[in-house]
Amino acid sequence: MLLLGIDIGTSSIKVSVVDAASQTAIASAQYPDNESPILAPQPGWAEQSPDMWWQQVQHAIELCNNSGKYNPHDISAIGIAYQMHGLVLVNKDQHVLRNSIIWCDSRAVEIGNKALTAIGEKKCLRHLLNSPGNFTASKLAWVKENEPEIYDQIDKIMLPGDFISMKLTGEINTSVSALSEGIFYDFKSDKLSKDVLDYFGFNKTFFPAIQPVFSSHGTLLRSVAEKLRLKAGIPITYKAGDQPNNALSLNVLNPGEVAATAGTSGVIYGVSDQLTYDPQSRVNTFAHVNYAEEQKRLGVLLCINGTGRLYSWVRSLYGPSLSFAQMNEKATEAPSGCYGLRILPFGNGVERMLANKPIGAHIQNIDLNIHSQSHIFRAVQEGIACAFRYGLDIMRENGMNPSVIRAGKANLFMSDLFTEIFVNATGVPVELYKNDGSAGAALGAGIGSGIFATAAEAFSKMKKIKTVEPANTKFEPIYQDWKNLLKTQLEKTNQ
């Protein structure tokens, strides 16, 4: 039995077809080969076209089907993972009203800050587990304030995965996990937040029907099925944000288990059974994929906006002819600490762990007589690892103390050097697995369709590649130097 997984990333769309019996991908495809554009009409803004995502999803499925490795009509269920926090608006005809305001957009920070004050800081944190910040609810409020002609046409609001599900099925629905990441959900009452809707004046009819993550979200339209060479009526049985999905794909489902990823953004994601929150909302708590009223499972998420995004930017300037693998190899030529070269890996929107301060990215202490391409590449990896350590220390303040972190051998974790730097910076071992967001979404569909009785069964054949243990205690002075540089920049921003 075959399962199709779709991962709607910021840089590209990835799809995989997974054989349920072996729990392995038999075909995968990515579209486009280059990175999808992030539109920035003004500094601090970040948008993408939902219709672009839909076109790319179709291209990626077509590429996968063209592999000839399976019969598309053997696919029995579809799962969707998606970039979190994006706002998609459609009218009654299911037409997109504007570009999606995506996860790293910063325009709504002050709107969220005012909501926090008006609703009450304690109430927000106890009920929403977060400040409204620049999450989806605040983005919708920005549209209401600044684009009333668009706001008046809204029939439904949704997250990116809800939109792709709608294009596949014609049905619009969402989940508690999605609503919580948008800061629309009240965890005390386990329903849409009356406080948020009343404060912003949102119409309750904007919100689609709520479905469990592992359940039917609609069936494939015949017109779409014919175009994609799939069977009409295939159910979509799983839909989750990319970070909860990454945790699922690493079998991180129980309290105390922790996952990490270092793609466009960098994330550490730990599972808790408590309605926990950071008093300053520097790390955020959302409903995990297995959240239920009777069994709370929350995902505590640290997000660094500019990890892979920074590495890609550095590549375009300092090594445009190099592959990422070649950059990683070059980085090994530089010594630990890079003779004082330090990089703050920010600049892709405001950072929640820095209290939504727009400090930008910084390259400091360049010595023109010493530093070369290899030093730049290594300093980027060290700077990203230091940012992870800084955020992990915040998570530790809030009771999340991982003894091990699971990560897929993908993106920056494909670099042995980065993985080594990461474990030495954080002091936590990393278990590496062959893992992929689209394959995880496919297995999620297997859970939702009942092919697997439990999530544990769906990942029973997952094999660890290796464990990387901390080995270099000499990294602490490098981290403290980096932290002092960050402190200086934060003080300048606050002036």
Side-chain angles (χ1 to χ4, degrees), residues 259-439:
T261 184
T264 302
S265 62
V267 167
I268 298 178
Y269 184 100
V271 179
S272 174
D273 57 0
Q274 303 296 315
L275 297 181
T276 184
Y277 56 83
D278 176 54
Q280 300 175 55
S281 240
R282 297 165 297 174
V283 296
N284 304 103
T285 303
F286 309 117
H288 195 24
V289 294
N290 54 345
Y291 177 90
E293 289 186 42
E294 65 278 6
Q295 181 175 277
K296 308 295 186 187
R297 291 294 181 267
L298 292 303
V300 181
L301 184 150
L302 158 76
C303 182
I304 306 160
N305 291 357
T307 52
R309 185 81 177 92
L310 173 64
Y311 210 43
S312 176
W313 181 86
V314 165
R315 177 193 179 194
S316 69
L317 291 183
Y318 296 97
S321 64
L322 300 178
S323 67
F324 287 118
Q326 289 170 325
M327 286 175 66
N328 294 337
E329 184 62 32
K330 278 275 186 186
T332 65
E333 298 172 6
S336 178
C338 301
Y339 300 119
L341 185 63
R342 300 284 178 264
I343 294 181
L344 299 180
F346 309 116
N348 188 30
V350 297
E351 296 284 353
R352 282 174 244 150
M353 74 171 186
L354 303 179
N356 286 329
K357 300 297 182 183
I359 74 165
H362 296 267
I363 303 176
Q364 298 280 345
N365 306 328
I366 295 175
D367 187 320
L368 301 178
N369 298 312
I370 296 176
H371 293 127
S372 65
Q373 185 185 57
S374 63
H375 296 94
I376 292 285
F377 295 160
R378 181 174 185 127
V380 170
Q381 295 195 13
E382 291 185 346
I384 291 168
C386 286
F388 270 114
R389 160 67 184 280
Y390 186 88
L392 181 58
D393 284 348
I394 295 172
M395 297 180 79
R396 285 167 170 148
E397 289 176 24
N398 287 276
M400 188 66 65
N401 293 288
S403 58
V404 66
I405 295 173
R406 297 177 194 167
K409 193 169 175 60
N411 300 312
L412 278 168
F413 281 108
M414 291 182 70
S415 165
D416 290 340
L417 176 64
F418 175 77
T419 307
E420 174 191 312
I421 295 169
F422 178 94
V423 299
N424 288 327
T426 61
V428 182
V430 167
E431 292 179 351
L432 289 173
Y433 295 84
K434 183 179 180 181
N435 127 288
D436 175 270
S438 58

Side-chain angles (χ1 to χ4, degrees), residues 23 248-251 440 443-444 447 454-462:
Q23 300 175 11
L248 171 75
S249 67
L250 290 164
N251 200 20
L443 290 168
I447 300 166
T454 64
E457 181 183 331
F459 296 93
S460 61
K461 297 180 181 179
M462 185 175 76

Side-chain angles (χ1 to χ4, degrees), residues 170-233:
E171 299 181 35
I172 304 177
N173 49 55
T174 191
S175 68
V176 168
S177 184
L179 292 170
S180 74
E181 72 179 74
I183 318 301
F184 293 114
Y185 199 73
D186 187 322
F187 284 94
K188 291 290 188 181
S189 61
D190 265 315
K191 60 185 179 182
L192 279 169
S193 170
K194 186 176 185 300
D195 292 314
V196 170
L197 269 61
D198 287 351
Y199 173 74
F200 286 127
F202 296 153
N203 192 327
K204 194 173 181 179
T205 63
F206 285 175
F207 298 88
I210 302 172
Q211 296 287 106
V213 169
F214 300 105
S215 69
S216 177
H217 299 269
T219 57
L220 194 62
L221 291 166
R222 181 169 297 280
S223 58
V224 176
E226 289 175 354
K227 187 174 183 180
L228 298 178
R229 291 185 283 153
L230 303 173
K231 286 187 303 185

Side-chain angles (χ1 to χ4, degrees), residues 62-136:
E62 182 180 12
L63 286 172
C64 216
N65 287 344
N66 288 343
S67 70
K69 296 178 179 178
Y70 60 92
N71 182 347
H73 276 239
D74 290 339
I75 292 170
S76 61
I78 299 172
I80 299 172
Y82 59 88
Q83 50 170 292
M84 297 171 71
H85 315 304
L87 172 68
V88 181
L89 307 173
V90 297
N91 63 16
K92 291 182 179 179
D93 297 319
Q94 297 188 354
H95 293 154
V96 174
L97 294 172
R98 71 173 325 282
N99 284 335
S100 173
I101 304 175
I102 66 171
W103 58 278
C104 54
D105 187 281
S106 304
R107 76 186 72 182
V109 169
E110 286 309 310
I111 290 174
N113 289 343
K114 290 177 182 177
L116 178 68
T117 300
I119 296 171
E121 186 172 336
K122 287 184 178 179
K123 193 171 191 180
C124 276
L125 293 175
R126 289 173 181 171
H127 287 256
L128 308 174
L129 308 184
N130 302 283
S131 161
N134 63 324
F135 292 109
T136 318

